[in-house]
Amino acid sequence: MTAEATVQRQLEAYNAHDLEKFIAEYADDVQVFRPPKVEPVMAGKKALAAHYAANRFNLPNLHAALDKRIVCGNKVVDHERITGVHAYETQALAVYEVIDDQIKTVWFYAPE
């Protein structure tokens, strides 16, 4: 497996609103950061699953379109256009660190 393949699978599961497949790509102790905050906004697969079940996968028009991807070793950087969360399209930058074929850390840059 490659880091890019892991990230691609989670993106496809996100767009399919498939929580089980989405969460399967993350490490049990995943940490999600929203810089400039230095503390994680989510820690652990259970917290991640609860957040996406309650705040994303319940939105029928949720979709992330990949504009650009950069891969550097075990880091994958995705520039996405996200629709279905707000009444307008949002751009986001997600940096994924993949260890042992699972996403271990995410740094998510997007407007609040």
Side-chain angles (χ1 to χ4, degrees), residues 1-105:
M1 296 287 181
T2 65
E4 183 175 14
T6 300
V7 171
Q8 182 61 36
R9 283 191 306 275
Q10 72 83 39
L11 177 62
E12 290 169 2
Y14 178 94
N15 284 331
H17 303 190
D18 187 329
L19 184 61
E20 185 176 327
K21 285 184 180 179
F22 178 78
I23 292 301
E25 301 303 328
Y26 288 85
D28 289 340
D29 59 348
V30 62
Q31 291 192 315
V32 179
F33 295 87
R34 288 198 60 134
K37 295 176 185 172
V38 295
E39 296 297 322
V41 295
M42 274 180 271
K45 190 184 275 193
K46 287 183 182 181
L48 186 71
H51 171 76
Y52 277 85
N55 300 294
R56 292 296 181 268
F57 293 165
N58 61 331
L59 304 171
N61 296 322
L62 179 71
H63 184 79
L66 181 63
D67 277 349
K68 174 100 174 145
R69 176 173 283 163
I70 300 169
V71 180
C72 185
N74 72 330
K75 307 288 189 304
V76 178
V77 181
D78 280 359
H79 176 237
E80 303 169 348
R81 288 177 289 112
I82 301 170
T83 54
V85 176
H86 304 289
Y88 52 88
E89 180 179 273
T90 305
Q91 291 194 39
L93 182 67
V95 181
Y96 301 94
E97 178 183 43
V98 179
I99 298 175
D100 296 329
D101 298 323
Q102 290 191 310
I103 299 168
K104 175 81 169 174
T105 312

